[in-house]
Amino acid sequence: MNINFNFRHIAILLVTTVAAFSLGCLVTTQHHVKTEVNEYKNDRVRAGETVRERSSISENPYSLSSPMRREYDEFRKWVFENKKIVYLSRSGNRQDLLDISGALEAKGVSKISTELLEQRLSSVNKIIASLDAHTCSTLIRGGFNLSEFMIQAFPVINSFDEGEAKAWIQVNKAAIEAQLAGSPNIVLSTEDAARALIKIARLSNASQSKTYFSGLASLKTASNEDACTTARTLYSLGNELPEPYRGYMARLLLTGRDGNEIINN
């Protein structure tokens, strides 16, 4: 049995199924958090929050004590005052500007630096650990429900400390700016993708390595729990890899079709 061929087959399966995840983890604009904001507001109402505070939350989904609240306010202000984004808007209204920024961000993530992608990988790893088995498994297998994902991801993002919040917004802005500037995609080669996946296996013992490759090969047929275990392994161990492998994993897992050579081969 040809080991290289089998590994390539596993890698193609993996990259193809996680391609959709880049949108779910990167975009934090208002229209994408509508469902979880409503859920969060209902919880706050039940907790006795004032009408004035609820009104404020309707404009910014993050809690008053969360560092993400201030960062998101500054991000929105930046979007609303960005002449290039305003130029692309038909109506010029704030929701339209946020929608445009979200689309720009999704397209621009494959253009940003490896350092910024590694910041996002660290945050996404934290989110992955909080997801239930069903949502976690659909992320790695593709076809996940964005609203379902955000309902579970939102509390984690809301709990980010100041450094994490700044890093999250920094990535968002960098992706938007890269897309507006027409920067080229930074494409991870098939060989580097393979090196990163193999590096994870080599850092594990023989039994763990066998389970890891078996999990990659059977993603489509595995139970939700097993698929989720594979996903968490990729993100957690990928986040702990030495350089340059950590950067390879960040680009592999977060940039989708535009950032991965293997998807287009």
Side-chain angles (χ1 to χ4, degrees):
M1 187 174 288
N2 188 311
I3 295 176
N4 290 331
F5 175 79
N6 283 336
F7 181 83
R8 180 178 172 78
H9 177 75
I10 292 171
I12 290 173
L13 171 64
L14 171 66
V15 179
T16 302
T17 53
V18 302
F21 186 34
S22 59
L23 292 180
C25 70
L26 285 167
V27 180
T28 58
T29 49
Q30 185 77 17
H31 69 294
H32 278 142
V33 293
K34 181 178 180 181
T35 301
E36 74 276 6
V37 170
N38 287 338
E39 188 80 11
Y40 179 69
K41 286 195 295 181
N42 289 338
D43 288 342
R44 300 285 291 222
V45 171
R46 286 192 290 269
E49 191 173 55
T50 67
V51 172
R52 182 176 180 180
E53 286 172 325
R54 293 200 303 273
S55 176
S56 178
I57 286 174
S58 70
E59 298 176 1
N60 184 325
Y62 302 102
S63 64
L64 297 176
S65 60
S66 172
M68 273 299 297
R69 185 177 180 85
R70 180 181 65 256
E71 295 299 327
Y72 185 65
D73 272 340
E74 292 180 0
F75 172 74
R76 290 193 308 166
K77 184 175 184 293
W78 177 81
V79 168
F80 299 151
E81 295 177 354
N82 189 302
K83 293 181 180 180
K84 292 182 179 180
I85 298 177
V86 173
Y87 177 78
L88 294 174
S89 173
R90 292 183 178 181
S91 66
N93 68 61
R94 292 188 167 192
Q95 187 57 61
D96 191 40
L97 294 175
L98 289 172
D99 289 347
I100 290 170
S101 72
L104 291 169
E105 181 187 336
K107 290 295 293 181
V109 67
S110 58
K111 308 173 189 295
I112 64 177
S113 71
T114 298
E115 180 183 0
L116 289 175
L117 283 176
E118 288 178 349
Q119 289 181 15
R120 181 52 56 91
L121 180 64
S122 179
S123 297
V124 173
N125 177 47
K126 192 172 182 178
I127 292 171
I128 288 286
S130 74
L131 302 178
D132 63 31
H134 168 72
T135 302
C136 173
S137 66
T138 56
L139 288 176
I140 199 70
R141 290 193 282 213
F144 72 100
N145 182 289
L146 181 58
S147 294
E148 183 180 77
F149 166 77
M150 286 304 298
I151 287 173
Q152 295 183 51
F154 180 77
V156 177
I157 300 172
N158 192 54
S159 71
F160 282 170
D161 62 29
E162 186 171 345
E164 291 170 326
K166 285 184 179 295
W168 187 269
I169 296 301
Q170 182 184 17
V171 172
N172 292 358
K173 291 172 69 174
I176 292 169
E177 289 175 329
Q179 182 63 19
L180 286 171
S183 301
N185 291 323
I186 302 173
V187 181
L188 180 70
S189 71
T190 299
E191 291 74 20
D192 286 342
R195 290 186 184 103
L197 292 172
I198 290 173
K199 188 67 172 179
I200 290 177
R202 287 178 175 170
L203 292 177
S204 307
N205 60 43
S207 176
Q208 291 172 328
S209 180
K210 183 178 180 179
T211 300
Y212 164 69
F213 277 113
S214 176
L216 290 180
S218 61
L219 279 176
K220 288 187 176 180
T221 58
S223 66
N224 286 345
E225 289 74 15
D226 288 344
C228 184
T229 296
T230 299
R232 287 175 175 157
T233 297
L234 288 170
Y235 283 90
S236 62
L237 295 186
N239 189 50
E240 296 174 1
L241 289 177
E243 298 297 352
Y245 306 101
R246 183 170 182 249
Y248 297 160
M249 283 302 295
R251 202 162 292 279
L252 171 66
L253 293 171
L254 298 177
T255 63
R257 180 174 297 278
D258 290 338
N260 283 281
E261 178 184 73
I262 197 169
I263 298 179
N264 298 301
N265 286 344

